[in-house]
Amino acid sequence: MVIQKVRANDSFIEELLNGWISANQRYVELLNRTDCCWWYNERTNVSVLAGAAWSLGWTAIEEYPSDKKIKGYTGENPDSNTSKGRVDLYIKNELESIALEAKHVWHNLDKNINKDICYIGSARSDTECLRNQAARHFAATFIVFYTKESLNEFTLEERITTTINNAIENLDIDSIAYAYLIDNKSPFMNEAKYYYQSVAVILEQVEPNLK
């Protein structure tokens, strides 16, 4: 069975996250359910989000060079507080634009449902280094869930919901959007015999750095 959910505060992000779910499902079906794209790495998951934008008739570019604010810089000279870096993803349609910095984490649902997703803070920290890249900046955290046993979809959803709620409970809920996809119609088992049947992305809007 396949379960999907999107929570967003505006139509742009809602449409993008629905497109992300569809892109993940499209890959699974085109590969005859022998593979999923979410269990690889950060770069792969970012590319799926970019692909979602293109499938919506929008545009997207990944890993493009740009100046970034230096983390921890405390000097007074604004001309020396940047260094060369790369932005993970830029997405634009006719009306809106966003820039994102991303992190990726594997999360064990057998025992870690109440464990903090520390990469959310890391993604936010990277996003705070962006300088005027788009109308809005977002920290994106891709969470790939795995289990030792193949769980039914309702148990998976309950544990995923608990994990996400725990991760965002101390954040400004108006700045948060998220989506998840659960697909246990296929095992998606790795060589270590763990099941990778679900994935989520949490987007946190971060105020642009105008300095």
Side-chain angles (χ1 to χ4, degrees):
M1 184 175 179
V2 175
I3 295 178
Q4 60 189 57
K5 180 175 181 178
V6 170
R7 180 206 178 276
N9 293 320
D10 65 81
S11 60
F12 180 90
I13 297 299
E14 182 178 12
E15 194 170 357
L16 178 62
L17 291 178
N18 277 310
W20 172 77
I21 289 174
S22 296
N24 275 291
Q25 290 179 305
R26 188 178 308 120
Y27 180 92
V28 167
E29 297 301 336
L30 285 174
L31 272 289
N32 297 316
R33 300 198 145 268
T34 61
D35 192 22
C36 61
C37 43
W38 55 79
W39 65 356
Y40 288 105
N41 56 23
E42 176 189 305
R43 185 79 265 129
T44 307
N45 281 276
V46 170
S47 72
V48 175
L49 191 59
W54 285 106
S55 71
L56 293 168
W58 304 353
T59 191
I61 55 173
E62 305 171 53
E63 283 288 304
Y64 65 93
S66 176
D67 288 340
K68 287 186 172 183
K69 180 182 176 182
I70 299 173
K71 287 184 179 180
Y73 179 82
T74 57
E76 297 181 356
N77 184 356
D79 294 328
S80 61
N81 72 340
T82 61
S83 63
K84 296 296 183 182
R86 297 189 180 191
V87 180
D88 284 338
L89 181 60
Y90 173 84
I91 294 174
K92 188 180 188 321
N93 67 10
E94 293 181 352
L95 299 176
E96 299 193 54
S97 64
I98 61 172
L100 302 96
E101 288 294 311
K103 294 298 178 185
H104 170 273
V105 60
W106 287 275
H107 194 78
N108 188 337
L109 281 179
D110 293 324
K111 55 185 178 182
N112 290 339
I113 61 173
N114 292 314
K115 182 180 178 181
D116 288 339
I117 307 294
C118 59
Y119 282 85
I120 291 179
S122 182
R124 182 190 312 114
S125 178
D126 284 356
T127 306
E128 288 171 345
C129 293
L130 297 179
R131 292 170 56 94
N132 304 319
Q133 292 300 312
R136 292 189 289 170
H137 295 169
F138 282 87
T141 306
F142 295 95
I143 310 168
V144 181
F145 301 102
Y146 66 96
T147 59
K148 190 63 177 177
E149 304 293 332
S150 181
L151 303 177
N152 70 63
E153 61 273 12
F154 302 110
T155 300
L156 283 170
E157 183 170 36
E158 180 181 3
R159 295 185 184 185
I160 288 169
T161 300
T162 299
T163 299
I164 291 175
N165 287 340
N166 181 69
I168 66 176
E169 65 178 351
N170 295 320
L171 303 177
D172 177 6
I173 195 63
D174 291 333
S175 70
I176 296 296
Y178 65 81
Y180 59 75
L181 170 64
I182 299 168
D183 185 344
N184 66 353
K185 292 170 64 177
S186 300
F188 302 125
M189 181 187 291
N190 69 357
E191 293 181 356
K193 307 300 183 184
Y194 280 93
Y195 294 87
Y196 290 75
Q197 297 175 315
S198 47
V199 61
V201 60
I202 298 175
L203 298 181
E204 179 185 10
Q205 184 171 342
V206 179
E207 288 302 313
N209 186 341
L210 302 178
K211 296 181 180 180

